[in-house]
Amino acid sequence: MNKIFSLLAIVFLMSCSSTAQNSSKENKKYKVDKTDAQWKKELTDKQYYVLRESGTERAFTSPFNDSKTNGTFVCAACKTPLYESKYKFDSGTGWPSFDRAIKENVELDVDYKIGYARTELKCNTCGGHLGHSFDDGPRKTTGKRHCINGVALEFIPKD
């Protein structure tokens, strides 16, 4: 009898599902909504890995890391303007870093992919993963560091 009770208790506990660690925006519909096949056709393998699978490019590999040109960084998937170059700074981390995004074009979400909560940054138009936000940015401005995968961006120089 104890074995049956124990087995039922285990089955019950395993069947309980929690959404505490799931993103609050998992089911959000974005303005640009494409199938995986469509994204794979339009993006490079690295872009797909970062933007659609929430991957991370290797540090110090983005040509945008040292870029000082005036202009706007847009989402590589949907071309939504995300960051102005005037808010870019050298964080020394190996990824392009900004202290703020273009208002309402970048959404903040929470991910638990590495075992603890981090603030994930996504394109608010297509939901593409951009990177993460940290509280170790420039103190004289926002104190935020948007650590962005360069492969998730394209650059439009200012005329």
Side-chain angles (χ1 to χ4, degrees), residues 2-65:
N2 279 344
K3 287 183 182 180
I4 292 173
F5 178 74
S6 297
L7 182 61
L8 288 173
I10 290 171
V11 169
F12 174 75
L13 290 174
M14 290 177 69
S15 68
C16 293
S17 63
S18 169
T19 58
Q21 289 192 356
N22 292 336
S23 164
S24 61
K25 298 179 182 177
E26 272 183 14
N27 297 320
K28 178 178 176 179
K29 288 289 185 193
Y30 293 94
K31 292 176 193 168
V32 175
D33 186 24
K34 299 180 182 184
T35 65
D36 283 340
Q38 289 172 310
W39 285 123
K40 283 181 181 182
K41 194 173 184 180
E42 295 178 19
L43 301 171
T44 67
D45 289 344
K46 286 181 182 180
Q47 288 172 326
Y48 184 85
Y49 170 66
V50 169
L51 287 160
R52 307 318 309 168
E53 296 179 331
S54 300
T56 302
E57 68 185 357
R58 283 189 5 247
F60 300 101
T61 60
S62 173
F64 295 138
N65 209 25

Side-chain angles (χ1 to χ4, degrees), residues 6 26 29 41 55 63 66 69 81 91 137 140 149:
S6 297
E26 272 183 14
K29 288 289 185 193
K41 194 173 184 180
D66 298 321
T69 308
S91 65
K140 292 182 180 179
N149 291 283

Side-chain angles (χ1 to χ4, degrees), residues 121-135:
L121 301 167
K122 294 179 179 179
C123 173
N124 202 26
T125 303
C126 70
H129 170 79
L130 304 171
H132 292 88
S133 178
F134 302 96
D135 292 327

Side-chain angles (χ1 to χ4, degrees), residues 83-91 96-102 121 133-134 136-148:
Y83 294 97
E84 294 180 41
S85 61
K86 65 183 175 184
Y87 299 119
K88 185 176 178 297
F89 68 96
D90 183 4
S91 65
S97 297
F98 304 84
D99 71 351
R100 70 195 79 176
I102 294 174
L121 301 167
S133 178
F134 302 96
D136 59 0
R139 291 184 186 182
K140 292 182 180 179
T141 60
T142 64
K144 298 291 184 186
R145 172 173 55 97
H146 287 204
C147 187
I148 305 300

